[in-house]
Amino acid sequence: DAGVTQSPTHLIKTRGQQVTLRCSPKSGHDTVSWYQQALGQGPQFIFQYYEEEERQRGNFPDRFSGHQFPNYSSELNVNALLLGDSALYLCASSWTGAEAFFGQGTRLTVV
Amino acid sequence: AQTVTQSQPEMSVQEAETVTLSCTYDTSESDYYLFWYKQPPSRQMILVIRQEAYKQQNATENRFSVNFQKAAKSFSLKISDSQLGDAAMYFCVLGQGGSEKLVFGQGTKLTVNP
């Protein structure tokens, strides 16, 4: 079992650009959540997808959007990147009601 | 609003000794879970231990145990016989029942000295 995989591992983007991050959940998991972890802080919940629908959303602007595909994989899109969007983006997958498993994250740097 | 507070930004322990990490939380939900996650320099968040709020018995996993005080909304982690591989950032985490949204504390950086 490959666990939760995220791509890419590192990414550098210019302010104002758009970025897409990808996540493949652990086998058998149907729920994917995304978190933003700024340097030296705890992760903050962005949103969660279940059955291809956004089920919950944290306090993030509409520049952050996502998608879940029929195979449960997910994408996180961020438009009009700001310097403050620089962070580690974590994907977590779970089977409804069970514990979450995390990927190794994508380190996004906005310059 | 749900909040998690870890008041110890950094802790250190000698190898083979015991250390306790503190955490307090606040929630209006009656159905919730509490977790301790570990994040080593590799960045991957790893589940250490889990506690269901409806269970009075404190959870244990090998060298890791918790002290869950529901009325005081306190959830501390005790690590016994500390090992060098325990060095990491530790996060106290609150989960809502019925969904998997997690609320993280600010983290405690644990150093294990040989």
Side-chain angles (χ1 to χ4, degrees):
Chain A
D1 184 2
V4 181
T5 57
Q6 292 186 241
S7 63
T9 54
H10 295 84
L11 201 54
I12 299 175
K13 288 287 189 178
T14 302
R15 191 171 46 183
Q17 285 188 316
Q18 178 265 345
V19 68
T20 297
L21 310 182
R22 295 177 175 82
C23 173
S24 292
K26 186 176 170 64
S27 178
H29 286 185
D30 58 6
T31 302
V32 173
S33 302
W34 287 91
Y35 293 83
Q36 180 195 66
Q37 185 178 16
L39 195 62
Q41 297 185 21
Q44 299 288 317
F45 176 76
I46 303 175
F47 43 54
Q48 181 182 91
Y49 278 84
Y50 172 70
E51 292 189 343
E52 303 179 52
E53 296 287 331
E54 184 181 289
R55 180 159 71 176
Q56 272 191 297
R57 188 178 183 92
N59 189 24
F60 279 81
D62 292 344
R63 297 188 297 108
F64 289 77
S65 63
H67 188 77
Q68 186 178 35
F69 298 94
N71 66 354
Y72 305 123
S73 67
S74 177
E75 288 182 349
L76 164 65
N77 301 292
V78 187
N79 295 321
L81 284 166
L82 303 174
L83 296 179
D85 295 331
S86 295
L88 178 68
Y89 288 84
L90 295 168
C91 171
S93 75
S94 58
W95 180 76
T96 305
E99 70 184 68
F101 286 78
F102 284 81
Q104 287 190 300
T106 294
R107 172 74 66 192
L108 172 64
T109 302
V110 182
V111 297
Chain B
Q2 298 182 318
T3 60
V4 177
T5 302
Q6 294 178 247
S7 58
Q8 306 155 315
E10 295 188 27
M11 292 283 285
S12 64
V13 64
Q14 291 296 125
E15 196 175 2
E17 297 196 341
T18 296
V19 65
T20 299
L21 308 184
S22 301
C23 171
T24 57
Y25 65 93
D26 192 22
T27 179
S28 57
E29 302 286 335
S30 57
D31 179 19
Y32 60 90
Y33 300 82
L34 291 160
F35 309 85
W36 280 96
Y37 275 87
K38 162 185 175 181
Q39 187 178 39
S42 67
R43 306 182 329 203
Q44 183 149 22
M45 205 70 74
I46 301 166
L47 178 66
V48 174
I49 198 165
R50 164 188 172 132
Q51 174 80 43
E52 289 86 350
Y54 64 86
K55 289 187 178 179
Q56 292 187 337
Q57 186 172 7
N58 289 324
T60 61
E61 285 288 341
N62 301 315
R63 299 182 294 106
F64 300 88
S65 62
V66 299
N67 183 3
F68 175 44
Q69 301 290 325
K70 190 172 184 178
K73 295 185 176 177
S74 169
F75 184 62
S76 61
L77 173 70
K78 185 170 83 171
I79 305 174
S80 304
D81 186 25
S82 297
Q83 300 176 359
L84 295 177
D86 295 334
M89 185 71 81
Y90 284 80
F91 291 97
C92 179
V93 184
L94 173 64
Q96 296 173 250
S99 75
E100 290 73 40
K101 172 187 173 180
L102 301 175
V103 178
F104 286 74
Q106 305 93 318
T108 296
K109 183 180 179 181
L110 178 66
T111 301
V112 181
N113 301 309

